Amino acid sequence: MGSVLASSGEDDQSTTPKSGSKRDDDLKLPFHQRMACKLLNVGPTPTHIAFIMDGNRRYARKLGVERIVGHRRGYSTLLRVLKWCNHLDVKVVTVYAFALDNFKRSKKEVDSLMELATQKFTEMLDSEREISQFGVRVNIIGALKHLPPKLQHVMARVMKSTRGHNKLVLNIAFAYSADQEFSDAASMLADGVDQGLLKIEDVSANLVQKCLYTAGQPDPDLLIRTSGETRLSDFMIHQVQLEELT
């Protein structure tokens, strides 16, 4: 999972750090990484990067530790990636944190992941100053109604507390399914037709796109799957072109 979600908001500049402002030491990258970012910034930078952060369980098996240890390491890696994206001035980051299909895993693993998520989102609330320095607005997307009430509550608080930030949009896909996303968009359009707000002939692919969870955001320029797999696995299939998968 991630540490924040964001959206644009050009009229709100109060919570975004000014260029050249001093960052906390924990927001700074090591010298060689800062130099690498400067070199990368010479060329075009992706506006929106999507990540499928998988391989945590295989990593845990390799180390001979419990699966939840692998998930914790994955979270730590995500924080480093977000720092790089911040320094590269990437505007939108989407992270596939927990698939709707993952509820089919063992109860012990699912319960552990829900506890870890609750803990990390609570830490976000306790680290408001750091999040403000990142300028990140957190947007959590997915079938959130399937999550424990306590987790839903803390997610809502994180989104509310970061909604004024505008430097980086972080979409955290949790209990997410691209099929469910499309189904929700179709239901929204069907409701519009039923209520007389739309005509059936008004419905188009472009209108469906405007009803997706990421409506108003640019589609990903780049999708990275950390395990090396080249499948989308029901992630953003309506926003990502297959040739963008790396």
Side-chain angles (χ1 to χ4, degrees):
M1 279 173 357
S3 64
V4 272
L5 281 140
S7 74
S8 59
E10 296 179 0
D11 57 334
D12 184 354
Q13 303 295 326
S14 61
T15 55
T16 301
K18 295 181 180 179
S19 177
S21 62
K22 189 177 184 301
R23 301 168 184 252
D24 265 0
D25 289 341
D26 60 353
L27 294 180
K28 290 183 179 179
L29 295 175
F31 175 78
H32 67 284
Q33 292 182 11
R34 295 201 304 274
M35 291 302 99
C37 285
K38 288 182 181 296
L39 289 173
L40 288 171
N41 273 328
V42 172
T45 301
T47 300
H48 184 172
I49 303 179
F51 294 94
I52 300 178
M53 305 286 286
D54 60 352
N56 294 338
R57 295 197 296 174
R58 273 167 283 183
Y59 176 80
R61 282 197 298 270
K62 183 177 180 180
L63 292 184
V65 296
E66 291 189 11
R67 291 173 177 174
I68 193 62
V69 175
H71 292 304
R72 289 195 184 103
R73 295 286 180 86
Y75 174 82
S76 297
T77 299
L78 174 61
L79 292 182
R80 292 198 298 273
V81 170
L82 287 174
K83 289 182 182 180
W84 299 334
C85 290
N86 181 268
H87 281 263
L88 287 169
D89 290 324
V90 174
K91 301 304 181 185
V92 184
V93 174
T94 300
V95 179
Y96 201 5
F98 186 83
L100 189 59
D101 195 55
N102 287 159
F103 279 111
K104 296 178 181 178
R105 294 180 179 179
S106 70
K107 185 177 184 303
K108 178 182 178 181
E109 183 175 2
V110 171
D111 288 347
S112 294
L113 285 169
M114 295 302 109
E115 290 177 8
L116 178 62
T118 301
Q119 174 190 341
K120 295 306 178 183
F121 281 115
T122 300
E123 288 177 3
M124 288 183 208
L125 292 171
D126 295 336
S127 305
E128 187 174 349
R129 181 169 176 266
E130 178 180 344
I131 292 175
S132 179
Q133 286 184 304
F134 268 110
V136 178
R137 180 177 178 181
V138 177
N139 182 37
I140 306 169
I141 60 177
L144 306 185
K145 63 183 180 181
H146 296 291
L147 300 175
K150 182 178 180 180
L151 179 53
Q152 290 185 47
H153 178 69
V154 72
M155 284 177 165
R157 290 181 61 198
V158 168
M159 287 190 282
K160 182 178 179 179
S161 69
T162 62
R163 64 186 177 185
H165 301 168
N166 61 10
K167 189 175 189 299
L168 173 69
V169 177
L170 174 62
N171 299 313
I172 302 177
F174 211 96
Y176 173 89
S177 159
D179 286 344
Q180 184 64 51
E181 179 179 23
F182 185 81
S183 177
D184 289 346
S187 295
M188 187 183 301
L189 293 174
D191 289 343
V193 172
D194 289 343
Q195 296 171 25
L197 302 174
L198 289 172
K199 296 180 181 179
I200 293 179
E201 55 266 31
D202 293 331
V203 177
S204 63
N206 183 54
L207 193 55
V208 171
Q209 198 78 8
K210 291 180 179 179
C211 294
L212 297 177
Y213 299 151
T214 54
Q217 300 176 8
D219 289 341
D221 306 289
L222 178 67
L223 188 149
I224 300 172
R225 184 160 187 168
T226 57
S227 67
E229 295 283 348
T230 55
R231 296 175 289 107
L232 289 178
S233 297
D234 200 21
F235 178 58
M236 301 191 80
I237 60 178
H238 307 290
Q239 297 99 327
V240 174
Q241 300 296 319
L242 290 178
E243 60 266 23
E244 295 165 347
L245 181 62
T246 65

